[in-house]
Amino acid sequence: MELDVSDPAASSSNTRELAVLRDFYCEHTASKSRVLALVAHPDGPPSLKAVLTCRDAEQAQQAAEILRGVLGCGSPVAPELSTQVESVAREMSDAVAASFRQAIDFARTGGWLVVGDQLSWRPGKETEAALNSWRTRVEENTLGRLRGPVIRQVTFTEYLVTDPVAFYNSATSMGWCPSGPFPGVGLGAPLHLMEATDFLAAPAPDLPGAQVLGTGSSIDVLDPEIGDELADWSPSGFSVRFGPGWRFEDDPGGPGMSEEEWEQIVPLPDFAALFPLERACPDWQFTPRAAYVLHALLSVLGDEAHDVARSFGDEPLREEHKVHCTIFTELPETTWSQGYAWRRDVARAAADLAQDIACGRLPRPRCVAEQVTLDCALDMARGHAEGLAGVTPSYDRLPRHRDDDWGAIEEIFLDVGEPSDDGLPPLWDTPADQWFALFRGVTSRDKNRGYPEHWKLMDKPTM
C-alpha cells in the first residue's frame, strides 16, 4: 500500500479554509484504488480531494462506505462505526491508516481543510457578460414568449437536525450569515434552523441544455401544538405553497465556528471551579465530570418535559404516545392523566436540579418529582459519559478523578428504599398530587423563581 499525500497544509504559506464535505467516492484502476472526498466551497465549483490510495479495491470500498456513514451520523460516532474504523485501519499500512483516521475526524465534523485559493474561482467580466446575454430576461419569462418546453419539478424533504454544531458549521463555511445574532439560550432557534437548512439544501439546478427561469421554496419548523405531523404520520393531506425563496448574503469569514466560539454563545458553567478536587481527600467528592454529565442530562430532560407539556396540554397520555413523550411515558401510568401544570412542574424539577449544579451545589432532591428526574438522569449518565469521552473537548479538558465512578455516584444519589410491589423504583408509586410535597428536613425553593427564561422562546404567545 502507498499513501497518497493530500494534506492541504503542505504549503504553510497558504491560508487553509474549511470546505463542506458532501460525499466520499472510490476510483479504481488495474493497479490501485483511491478514496476521494467531494468538498463544496462558496467561491467555486465542488472539488474532489484525495483521501488515500491502496492496492486493495475492496478495502478502498470499505473505507469509503465507513466515511460516508460517519459523515451521515456526525459526532459522536456510532459505536458500530468506531469498531469498523479500527478493524479496517488495522489492515492498512501505518501511513494509509493515519490518512484514514484523519479523514474520519473530518467526516465527523462535516468539514475538510483546504488551501483557500485551491477552490476559488470567479468568472471574469467577459464570461459574465456572455452568460447574461444568453439568459432569458425576467420580462420574457412567460410561456407565450418562451420557445421551448418548461418543466416544473417540486421536491419535498423533512430534516431532523441531530448535531446543531456541525449543521451550523457547514452552513457558515459555505457562506451563510444568520439574519440576526444567535440567541443566548440554545442552538435551536427556529429562524436560524430554517435559514441554515434552506441555504444548505438549496439545489444546483443548472442542467445541460436548459436554463433556470425561477426557483421557489417553502420552509417551516413543524409544531405539534398546531397539529403539524411528519408526512408519513399525517392523518390528513397537506399542501405546500412555494414562494420566491429566501436569499442570504455571503459570510466573508468563511470557516465555521470553533467550539470555543460556540461556548461563548452558549456558555457552560465552569465545573472545575465549581467543584474543585482535593486530591488528598479520602472522602467521596462530586467531580467536575460528574457535574458536566448530570447538568447536561437534567437540562435536556427539563427542556424535553416542558416541550411535551406544551404540546399535549391537558390531554391524557396513551400507549401510542411513547414515541413522543420521552420522560412522561416512562412514569407510572397513574400519572398519565395529569395535565399541563403538573407536567410543567416536573420539567421545572429537572431544571431546578440542573441549576443547583450550575451554582456549585450538589443535586439533592427536595421532593418526589426531583428524585424521579434525577433517577432518570442517573440511568442515562454512564452511557452519556462514555459517548462524550474523546469526542467532546469541553468534557475531555475537565480533570479526571477516581470518583468519576458512576457506580459510586449512583449509590450516593439513588434512593435506597425498597421498590414498590409493581417493581417501580422507590417513591415512583407516590400519588401524583404528592410529587411536589417537600421531604422532611429540607428547605423549600423560592416560590417566585419562575421558569427557565429560554422556555419563553419555546412558548407561543396566546391570542
Side-chain angles (χ1 to χ4, degrees), residues 64-82:
E65 287 303 320
I66 291 171
L67 286 164
R68 278 182 164 184
V70 173
L71 180 61
C73 74
S75 179
V77 178
E80 296 82 0
L81 282 174
S82 296

Side-chain angles (χ1 to χ4, degrees), residues 376-416:
C376 292
L378 287 168
D379 187 54
M380 299 182 287
R382 192 190 305 268
H384 188 67
E386 292 173 356
L388 292 172
V391 299
T392 308
S394 56
Y395 176 79
D396 291 333
R397 284 195 296 266
L398 294 173
R400 294 177 178 271
H401 192 264
R402 64 177 185 275
D403 290 327
D404 292 328
D405 175 14
W406 284 102
I409 295 171
E410 289 170 358
E411 289 182 8
I412 297 294
F413 288 106
L414 284 178
D415 193 287
V416 295

Side-chain angles (χ1 to χ4, degrees), residues 262-298:
W262 278 112
E263 289 184 5
Q264 290 177 6
I265 296 169
V266 187
L268 289 173
D270 187 349
F271 297 110
L274 290 169
F275 300 96
L277 293 171
E278 297 180 26
R279 297 291 180 182
C281 177
D283 299 327
W284 178 86
Q285 298 177 69
F286 189 60
T287 66
R289 292 193 169 202
Y292 183 110
V293 171
L294 285 181
H295 177 268
L297 290 173
L298 287 164

Side-chain angles (χ1 to χ4, degrees), residues 114-129:
V114 298
V115 176
D117 57 7
Q118 282 186 343
L119 301 183
S120 301
W121 179 82
R122 294 290 185 186
K125 293 183 179 179
E126 293 182 358
T127 304
E128 282 284 9

Side-chain angles (χ1 to χ4, degrees), residues 124-397:
K125 293 183 179 179
E126 293 182 358
T127 304
E128 282 284 9
L131 289 172
N132 287 333
S133 66
W134 175 79
R135 292 188 178 110
T136 300
R137 292 185 293 275
V138 174
E139 61 270 18
E140 297 175 349
N141 285 356
T142 61
L143 289 177
R145 293 189 179 189
L146 297 175
R147 290 173 291 179
V150 176
I151 297 93
R152 174 184 295 158
Q153 180 193 35
V154 177
T155 60
F156 167 74
T157 310
E158 289 173 337
Y159 294 97
L160 169 65
V161 179
T162 57
D163 188 337
V165 172
F167 190 67
Y168 285 137
N169 273 345
S170 295
T172 54
S173 65
M174 282 297 293
W176 168 65
C177 184
S179 61
F182 281 96
V185 285
L187 303 177
L191 174 62
H192 293 143
L193 284 173
M194 289 190 290
E195 285 182 353
T197 301
D198 205 54
F199 189 91
L200 286 173
D206 290 313
L207 304 177
Q211 60 175 299
V212 177
L213 299 178
T215 60
S217 64
S218 175
I219 193 162
D220 198 3
V221 174
L222 298 186
D223 186 349
E225 187 175 3
I226 61 175
D228 290 341
E229 187 49 270
L230 295 176
D232 291 344
W233 289 66
S234 182
S236 58
F238 61 92
S239 62
V240 176
R241 294 184 179 179
F242 291 94
W246 292 4
R247 300 178 185 274
F248 307 107
E249 296 180 358
D250 286 351
D251 176 11
M257 295 184 181
S258 66
E259 183 183 2
E260 289 73 18
E261 290 171 321
W262 278 112
E263 289 184 5
Q264 290 177 6
I265 296 169
V266 187
L268 289 173
D270 187 349
F271 297 110
L274 290 169
F275 300 96
L277 293 171
E278 297 180 26
R279 297 291 180 182
C281 177
D283 299 327
W284 178 86
Q285 298 177 69
F286 189 60
T287 66
R289 292 193 169 202
Y292 183 110
V293 171
L294 285 181
H295 177 268
L297 290 173
L298 287 164
S299 298
V300 169
L301 281 172
D303 288 348
E304 289 183 347
H306 165 74
D307 194 48
V308 171
R310 167 180 167 268
S311 300
F312 279 77
D314 292 326
E315 179 185 352
L317 300 183
R318 298 185 298 276
E319 189 71 23
E320 58 265 30
H321 292 145
K322 281 195 171 183
V323 294
H324 300 295
C325 294
T326 57
I327 182 174
F328 289 109
T329 47
E330 298 299 320
L331 302 184
E333 291 191 24
T334 55
T335 67
W336 288 12
S337 60
Q338 296 298 309
Y340 170 79
W342 188 89
R343 292 169 186 155
R344 199 178 194 215
D345 282 341
V346 169
R348 186 169 61 177
D352 283 340
L353 290 173
Q355 182 62 23
D356 284 344
I357 297 174
C359 293
R361 298 188 295 267
L362 293 181
R364 295 290 189 188
R366 307 188 192 193
C367 63
V368 171
E370 292 186 10
Q371 181 65 60
V372 169
T373 56
L374 182 60
D375 288 351
C376 292
L378 287 168
D379 187 54
M380 299 182 287
R382 192 190 305 268
H384 188 67
E386 292 173 356
L388 292 172
V391 299
T392 308
S394 56
Y395 176 79
D396 291 333
R397 284 195 296 266

